[in-house]
Amino acid sequence: MRVIPLMTAAVVTAGLYYAVIERDALLAFARGEQVSDETASSDVSEPTDASATTAAAAAENVAPQAADADKADNSGVRVVALRSTARGIDSAVVLRGQTQAIRQVEVRSETTSTVLSEPLRKGAQVKAGDLLCKLDPGTRPSTLLEAKARLSEAKIRVPEARARLDEARARLKEAQINLTAAAKLSEGGFASETRLASSQAAERSAVAGVATAETGLETTSAGIEAASAQVAAAEKELARLDILAPFDGLLESDTAELGSLMQPGSLCATVIQLETIKLVGYVPETEVNRVTIGAGARAELANGRNVEGKVTFISRSADPTTRTFEVEITVPNPDLAIRDGQTADIVISAEGSKAHYLPQSALTLNNDGQLGVRVVEDDMTVGFYPIQLLRDEASGVWLGGLPEQADVIVVGQDFVVAGVSVAPTYKEVSQ
């Protein structure tokens, strides 16, 4: 008969006895409390010293576990909380847009003629006033000469018209003198009524002559103006034969080919200016009031290039389809590295606000499906705060809607609800 199995059975029996029957005495012994006489007597009445020693050893192993169990029963749910303090952030407005040339003009013909100049190829740099297309003048120089000749003729007639007016005025003065004399003689009976009537008729005829001379002078002046207009029109028509660059820029297309027929509205070339470029995006109506003229902005282009500029325009009229407002940001582009039409992710700085920076895993939903975080209140119970998502970053999120100081539950928040008692373990922000 083997002795070791019997001893093992005795030790196990003693351990179970103390763990179950004498549990209170065992816990009191583990806490270092005074054992009652009744317990002591029961301990003395155990069968063997070996069994007592073994039971004490078993009690030492069981006691910590039992103490932890009692502590767990008396405390709340264990969670991990992060003590967070609100910090000021730049609450930016984020939108998507594209680049646009600060200027882009399609230079077109204003007259009908054929092209005489060699074409300039697209991509060429041009200055303001450079010749893009030279058109055949045709008979336009002759038309200008004819208009100038008519102007000279009209100017020559001016002295003649003025002389006629002076002559008419002199005749009027003479007729008035004769009429005065005839009237006095008629009153004294020295002149007949016929002579008086003749003098009156001569005076009226002189008045009509003055009016006719004045009309002739005005007609001559009108002829001068008409001839001057014809000269200006002929000169303008000649000026339209030289199609010039309106500003410094780049040719986005070839100029018109040699020999091609140009008509009013025909395209000569497209010129764009890229030394300064615009970033154009559309802001939702809920955020348009946060954007101001002169606000700083930055953008990341599709090729990874980062640029900075300022807001120069905010539309006052919303797009009827999208209900968004156009915003333009002016960006310097001296090296012409930014092209027209590139996609850009734009961030416009706006008035800053206080926010908490927390890991994304801290976000949860309440029973109503509302997004927020759970926090540890002062009475060690759980509270729920709906949040405003201000900014999303790779390592965390900026949240608004929380108090200045908040103990946010970051581990175990999905296993508790508002009002439940918790036993938090706090975690440093840097962890």
Side-chain angles (χ1 to χ4, degrees), residues 293-366:
I293 298 293
R298 63 182 185 274
E300 182 179 357
L301 305 182
N303 58 8
R305 180 187 176 96
N306 293 313
V307 295
E308 295 183 359
K310 292 185 178 296
V311 176
T312 55
F313 172 76
I314 304 173
S315 175
R316 291 289 177 178
S317 176
D319 184 279
T321 304
T322 62
R323 309 303 303 168
T324 56
F325 293 82
E326 182 180 358
V327 175
E328 292 184 1
I329 301 158
T330 302
V331 175
N333 185 32
D335 56 354
L336 307 183
I338 306 174
R339 302 175 183 273
D340 180 36
Q342 288 185 270
T343 303
D345 293 324
I346 305 171
V347 178
I348 303 174
S349 61
E351 184 178 356
S353 60
K354 291 282 190 178
H356 291 260
Y357 188 67
L358 299 171
Q360 296 179 355
S361 59
L363 301 179
T364 187
L365 298 175
N366 63 3

Side-chain angles (χ1 to χ4, degrees), residues 6-334:
L6 293 176
M7 294 179 63
T8 302
V11 170
V12 172
T13 302
L16 292 175
Y17 174 79
Y18 276 94
V20 178
I21 305 301
E22 301 294 337
R23 183 170 179 270
D24 294 337
L26 185 61
L27 293 177
F29 176 77
R31 299 190 188 102
E33 299 176 355
Q34 185 67 31
V35 182
S36 62
D37 295 339
E38 182 180 357
T39 304
S41 61
S42 63
D43 290 341
V44 174
S45 63
E46 289 300 320
T48 61
D49 293 340
S51 299
T53 303
T54 305
E60 292 179 357
N61 294 330
V62 176
Q65 300 177 2
D68 291 341
D70 283 351
K71 186 176 181 181
D73 292 340
N74 295 330
S75 62
V77 179
R78 293 193 175 277
V79 294
V80 177
L82 179 67
R83 285 188 169 170
S84 176
T85 302
R87 292 177 280 173
I89 65 166
D90 180 16
S91 183
V93 177
V94 181
L95 58 148
R96 195 172 182 86
Q98 65 178 11
T99 60
Q100 284 187 8
I102 195 71
R103 287 179 175 178
Q104 180 168 339
V105 174
E106 293 182 343
V107 185
R108 298 180 179 273
S109 174
E110 298 181 78
T111 187
T112 301
S113 188
T114 56
V115 179
L116 297 179
S117 59
E118 292 289 338
L120 300 176
R121 298 306 176 189
K122 54 187 175 183
Q125 185 81 35
V126 296
K127 298 290 184 181
D130 286 354
L131 181 65
L132 300 179
C133 297
K134 176 70 174 179
L135 305 183
D136 182 13
T139 60
R140 292 173 180 85
S142 300
T143 304
L144 176 60
L145 291 176
E146 181 181 358
K148 288 182 177 180
R150 289 179 179 176
L151 177 60
S152 299
E153 181 182 358
K155 289 180 178 180
I156 291 174
R157 290 177 181 175
V158 172
E160 180 183 357
R162 287 178 179 174
R164 288 177 181 175
L165 178 60
D166 293 338
E167 181 183 0
R169 287 174 179 173
R171 288 178 180 176
L172 174 62
K173 188 174 181 180
E174 181 184 4
Q176 290 173 344
I177 293 172
N178 293 332
L179 177 61
T180 303
K184 288 183 179 180
L185 291 174
S186 178
E187 290 176 359
F190 298 103
S192 63
E193 294 293 333
T194 304
R195 183 179 178 183
L196 178 61
S198 178
S199 297
Q200 290 176 345
E203 190 267 344
R204 293 191 184 95
S205 177
V207 171
V210 169
T212 302
E214 289 177 346
T215 302
L217 181 59
E218 291 177 358
T219 302
T220 303
S221 299
I224 293 175
E225 293 179 359
S228 298
Q230 291 177 357
V231 170
E235 290 176 345
K236 182 64 175 178
E237 187 67 17
L238 282 175
R240 289 171 178 168
L241 300 176
D242 294 336
I243 303 177
L244 308 178
F247 49 79
D248 297 351
L250 294 172
L251 290 179
E252 189 66 12
S253 64
D254 293 342
T255 61
E257 189 61 53
L258 174 65
S260 58
L261 177 62
M262 303 292 287
Q263 295 180 349
S266 299
L267 179 64
C268 170
T270 301
V271 183
I272 62 173
Q273 190 177 65
L274 295 176
E275 285 79 6
T276 302
I277 203 161
K278 297 184 297 185
L279 302 177
V280 181
Y282 294 87
V283 180
E285 57 184 335
T286 56
E287 295 187 336
V288 67
N289 289 335
R290 298 176 57 204
V291 182
T292 57
I293 298 293
R298 63 182 185 274
E300 182 179 357
L301 305 182
N303 58 8
R305 180 187 176 96
N306 293 313
V307 295
E308 295 183 359
K310 292 185 178 296
V311 176
T312 55
F313 172 76
I314 304 173
S315 175
R316 291 289 177 178
S317 176
D319 184 279
T321 304
T322 62
R323 309 303 303 168
T324 56
F325 293 82
E326 182 180 358
V327 175
E328 292 184 1
I329 301 158
T330 302
V331 175
N333 185 32

